[in-house]
Amino acid sequence: MSSQAVGHFALIPLYMAAGTAILALLADLFTGRRAVTAGVTLLGTLATAAGALLTNGADPTFCAAGGCSWIPSGAAATTAVLFAGLTAGVLAFSLPALRLGVAPAGEFCFLLACSMTGGVTVAYAGDLITLIVGLETLTLPLYVLVGLRRFAPGERVSTAPAAASVTFFLISVVSTAIALLGVALNYAATGAVHLALLGPAPAPFAPIAGVGAALLVIGLAFKVAAVPLHAWAPATYDGAPVPVAAYLSTASKLGGVLALAAVVSRLDTRAVVILLAILTMTIGNLVALRQSRMVRLLAWSSIAQAGYILAALALGEPGVVAALAYAAFFVVLELIAFGVVVSLRRPGADGGAIDDYRGAARRRPWLGAALVLALAGLAGLPPGLAGLFAKLSVVDALVDANWTWLAGIVVLNAVIALAYYVRVSAALYTVPARVGLSVADPALVNAAVNPRLPVPRPVAVTLVAAVAVAVALGFAPQLLFDALS
């Protein structure tokens, strides 16, 4: 293929994702029916996943100066399918709230599809500019989604969504500026922006390139909520609608992992990534021990999980497959955890306190089992085999590289994390005291202890599908490793 030609076949996943956003907007404009808008968006996510699988192995496009900006590969197709699946899952979790008019369906679906478009772009990006543009396209709609809420007449107006949105926006702007400065310094030192051309700078410019690479990694670390750019995550997750928090914790984090993997596999950023990994997993786990609110605990847990991923990325190219596999296992388990929280809350409510979930598994056994499966997987224990293999893949990669000391830190942090995962799991099966019921949120008490309150069908179907994927990955993890290799 000549450098001037555009390979439209390779761009099919991008066309499908962007087309989904446009069709969602048009469906809302011309029909005004929530079901039609949501249905179009759901079909668009399926078309995006199908397009990614169809174009797997296609020729790269937008090629010039020795590199290409759009590179189809097995890893790109797999992660694009993940982005589409996560978008569909979050949309399903949001449908009960959208039916009540908590948020405008057209705008919600359009923004969610735009964010998916950014994720697909990150998956296929072959240069730093496309990578940054994709990340910003993934993130920008989330600023609005975090604060997108209508309050019913007589309902108490909360400033939490707006505060969460502003916090997310401000810190994201700073991190993007840091990342772009890193790109500029690296380009000044090496003259390269294509990922295939990244490498050591000539001797006189090596210090500039080193600073640029470090700034780039620190800026991208925001997307995975790594220390020191982590403080936004708990406040934003807890202030956002729970389904949007699920998207932040899964799709947004997956985009950050892909971007970091593309950079650290080609630039020498070992020292910075090791420091970020140790601080992120340790601080995340220690602060999670003190949390009393469910979504905040999941937020700090996801910060700690990012530390494990960074530990694998510290190896550079040898650790990329292990890191991507861990991220894939993690987002599926995290989606299950947030899905159970959505199921046990009234539509549009926040995540509540951990004590509000006491006894939930006694009345809703299958929801309790799903949450325990997710928490066990995040802890790296059976029956969460997907999480167990994810932890083992990181530890095994570190040991093979003779980084036993870092593998030991990963294992130690995993042991610390058991404390809060076990605490939440135990609460699900603890009978709540009657005095506790009298002061708890009545809507949550009904959801947690009333066996007749049904789980909305879209939420139930999505949860069952996510659990099935998690179980399948647990029994056949090599399929995922092969797809990402």
Side-chain angles (χ1 to χ4, degrees), residues 75 257-258 260-266 309 312-327 397 481 484-485:
V257 171
L258 289 172
L260 282 169
V263 171
V264 303
S265 62
R266 295 170 174 88
I309 296 171
L313 289 177
L315 294 170
E317 188 173 4
V320 166
V321 173
L324 293 180
Y326 193 108
F481 284 95
L484 294 170
S485 298

Side-chain angles (χ1 to χ4, degrees), residues 332 336 373 386 461-475:
V332 174
I336 295 172
L373 173 70
V461 170
T462 304
L463 264 178
V464 170
V467 169
V469 170
V471 171
L473 290 178
F475 282 102

